[in-house]
Amino acid sequence: MSPSTETAPRCPFGHGAEAPAGHHGYQPFQMKDPFPAYAELRAEQPVMFDERIGYYVVTRYDDIKAVFDDWETFSSENAQAPVRERGPAARKIMEEGGFTAYSGLSARRPPEHTRIRSVVQKAFTPRRFKVLEPFIRQNVVDQLERMLANPERRGDIFRDLAYDVPTVTILTLIGADVEQVDKFKRWSDSRAAMTWGDLSDEEQIPHAHNLVEYWQECLRLVRVAHEEGGDNLTADLVKAQQDGAEITDHEIASVLYSMLFAGHETTTTLISNAVRVLLAHPEQWQQLVEDPKKIPAAIDEVLRYSGSIVGWRRKALTDAEVGGVKIPEGAGLLLLMGSANRDETRFTGGEEFDISRPNAREHLSFGYGIHYCLGNMLAKLQAKIALEEIVRLAPNLKLDHPEAIEFRENLSFRVPESVPVAWEV
């Protein structure tokens, strides 16, 4: 998500350096294979203060679920805060560009969160998903057929399918220009890099410009909805406001700012990881080929085993205790859902991938409590459609050099850079 710069100053413990002895191999920004370190932390130090990032790192299922559920003690206000402070040049660019975006929902607290979520939830309805379903399916088929037409019989699920489909879906839902996929992806990459990445002051500069463009587009979409109406989520929110709902234009734009990122970035990753993990377990892939009705359960197991988001943040509003460890007022917590989802106390054989797992839906990949992901149904719908069409059109798909797959460096998102595949006619 961020450009590599060999000379830029970096976290002294990131980017391949050895973790300090007391950190059990845990590297905050490295996502290639964090799970052995997660297991060590669960066993040896389930709540650990990591001075490299300034957060208490929490790894056990019950502890994380309890923190998510106690919003009065553990605030979400830092969920969207930059992990690394913005440098003076980036701050200047954003201030002069009128960047005032705030979280749509995930970093807000009640009563503000309750008020805004109630308005958004009424617009974010199953009716809209039903209308979108045939459109999503046709888009998946078009992308797949284009990939499968490659005479070399090689492709990349990330680039050839997962990159485009969820982005077009969310742009359509919101009423944005579906011809601008690459632009919205660039903006989203910058948002992820600036919020959850480990960037030097110099590296932040191009991303700051992108965030200004991104925010200005969100404001423009709200203005267009006021002027022209429309049959999309933005227009629904503006109409609700005009009908008396308590939500401001700035709050609507902030909802768009969040949805235009979360509504496709994590779904791109979900589709990519679903294909990657299932093809790495060919006997389970074959089960889906033979019985596509097993796909919804398989998606929940992918979310548990290899979720798009493996860590999320909270802030202690008062002195508290988590897992027997005292947490001082004002301290930040990093909740490693990617670890919780493999906790043996909740998931027997948690390190094993099993699409027939009876309690896979208990994963915490969508969070828990009042901030449970509002878009979970849309994400799972798109992953379901993608897998249904892949097993139909390309049942003999195979991973191509899976050992070479790299994952982007950041604190929270486990995103493969590619999912190379091959097939035989």
Side-chain angles (χ1 to χ4, degrees):
M1 289 182 179
S2 63
S4 60
T5 306
E6 293 180 3
T7 58
R10 297 287 198 172
C11 168
F13 298 110
H15 307 276
E18 291 293 326
H23 295 71
H24 307 282
Y26 173 62
Q27 293 283 14
F29 295 95
Q30 293 183 12
M31 293 290 172
K32 176 78 172 176
D33 184 15
F35 301 107
Y38 291 172
E40 284 194 36
L41 285 172
R42 285 197 305 274
E44 303 294 335
Q45 205 172 358
V47 182
M48 170 197 75
F49 183 74
D50 193 326
E51 70 283 351
R52 299 168 295 178
I53 53 175
Y55 283 86
Y56 285 86
V57 178
V58 186
T59 52
R60 287 182 178 168
Y61 183 97
D62 288 344
D63 292 335
I64 291 174
K65 187 174 180 181
V67 170
F68 272 137
D69 205 29
D70 187 0
W71 59 266
E72 293 176 299
T73 302
F74 300 104
S75 169
S76 63
E77 64 195 63
N78 65 340
Q80 303 286 338
V83 174
R84 298 294 185 218
E85 185 178 353
R86 289 173 184 153
R91 286 200 305 272
K92 184 171 186 289
I93 290 164
M94 295 170 76
E95 287 169 5
E96 291 180 352
F99 182 88
T100 58
Y102 187 58
S103 164
L105 288 169
S106 64
R108 295 183 189 264
R109 300 174 56 211
E112 183 182 58
H113 171 271
T114 308
R115 171 177 59 79
I116 297 173
R117 186 173 175 117
S118 68
V119 178
V120 175
Q121 199 155 12
K122 288 173 186 173
F124 211 65
T125 61
R127 179 188 72 82
R128 286 222 167 270
F129 303 161
K130 190 172 182 62
V131 170
L132 281 171
E133 184 167 351
F135 169 78
I136 296 167
R137 191 173 298 276
Q138 188 59 54
N139 195 9
V140 167
V141 170
D142 291 345
Q143 298 293 327
L144 269 176
E145 289 181 341
R146 189 175 296 118
M147 183 186 81
L148 294 171
N150 182 351
E152 296 180 0
R153 298 198 286 272
R154 295 285 186 278
D156 177 359
I157 289 294
F158 180 88
R159 176 60 55 179
D160 296 334
L161 175 67
Y163 179 90
D164 184 274
V165 168
T167 315
V168 170
T169 298
I170 199 67
L171 295 182
T172 302
L173 179 70
I174 281 171
D177 184 359
V178 297
E179 299 299 321
Q180 300 294 320
V181 168
D182 287 342
K183 180 182 287 187
F184 280 97
K185 280 291 189 182
R186 172 166 54 84
W187 291 343
S188 294
D189 284 352
S190 288
R191 182 176 178 192
M194 285 286 277
T195 306
W196 296 280
D198 182 21
L199 303 181
S200 68
D201 287 0
E202 185 177 352
E203 287 176 308
Q204 292 175 1
I205 291 172
H207 297 296
H209 284 294
N210 284 341
L211 289 189
V212 169
E213 291 180 19
Y214 185 8
W215 175 238
Q216 291 301 324
E217 174 63 8
C218 293
L219 294 172
R220 188 192 71 80
L221 288 169
V222 176
R223 288 196 301 272
V224 169
H226 273 289
E227 293 164 4
E228 302 177 8
D231 184 17
N232 56 65
L233 186 101
T234 308
D236 288 352
L237 292 175
V238 166
K239 178 69 164 54
Q241 180 202 76
Q242 293 169 346
D243 290 344
E246 193 178 347
I247 189 169
T248 68
D249 283 356
H250 191 280
E251 288 167 345
I252 295 173
S254 292
V255 168
L256 300 187
Y257 179 75
S258 293
M259 282 190 175
L260 282 167
F261 172 79
H264 67 86
E265 191 74 16
T266 52
T267 308
T268 290
T269 307
L270 171 57
I271 294 170
S272 299
N273 280 333
V275 175
R276 179 182 61 82
V277 173
L278 283 160
L279 292 181
H281 297 81
E283 72 290 346
Q284 299 192 60
W285 173 260
Q286 190 58 35
Q287 288 184 47
L288 302 189
V289 171
E290 294 171 1
D291 184 3
K293 289 186 176 135
K294 293 182 177 180
I295 286 174
I299 290 169
D300 273 312
E301 178 65 352
V302 169
L303 284 161
R304 183 200 70 82
Y305 183 81
S306 189
S308 304
I309 302 175
V310 296
W312 211 239
R313 289 174 289 164
R314 287 293 184 264
K315 178 182 177 181
L317 297 182
T318 185
D319 289 345
E321 187 173 298
V322 177
V325 174
K326 294 189 181 303
I327 309 293
E329 179 182 351
L333 294 86
L334 177 63
L335 310 178
L336 293 182
M337 301 104 76
S339 170
N341 288 342
R342 296 192 179 199
D343 191 331
E344 295 275 352
T345 66
R346 175 65 55 165
F347 303 102
T348 303
E351 301 290 347
E352 299 168 7
F353 181 73
D354 180 5
I355 63 172
S356 64
R357 184 180 299 276
N359 67 336
R361 293 186 67 181
E362 295 177 16
H363 65 78
L364 298 177
S365 292
F366 290 127
Y368 185 80
I370 65 168
H371 287 96
Y372 187 77
C373 176
L374 195 60
N376 74 91
M377 289 173 57
L378 183 58
K380 290 168 79 169
L381 172 65
Q382 293 182 87
K384 173 178 172 286
I385 292 170
L387 287 177
E388 285 173 349
E389 295 305 327
I390 296 171
V391 300
R392 181 175 71 87
L393 294 172
N396 58 350
L397 214 59
K398 302 283 190 298
L399 283 177
D400 190 21
H401 299 294
E403 72 284 350
I405 296 175
E406 297 293 335
F407 290 78
R408 299 176 180 180
E409 293 186 352
N410 72 99
L411 194 69
S412 293
F413 296 87
R414 190 162 183 264
V415 185
E417 294 278 9
S418 63
V419 182
V421 292
W423 58 91
E424 298 177 0
V425 177

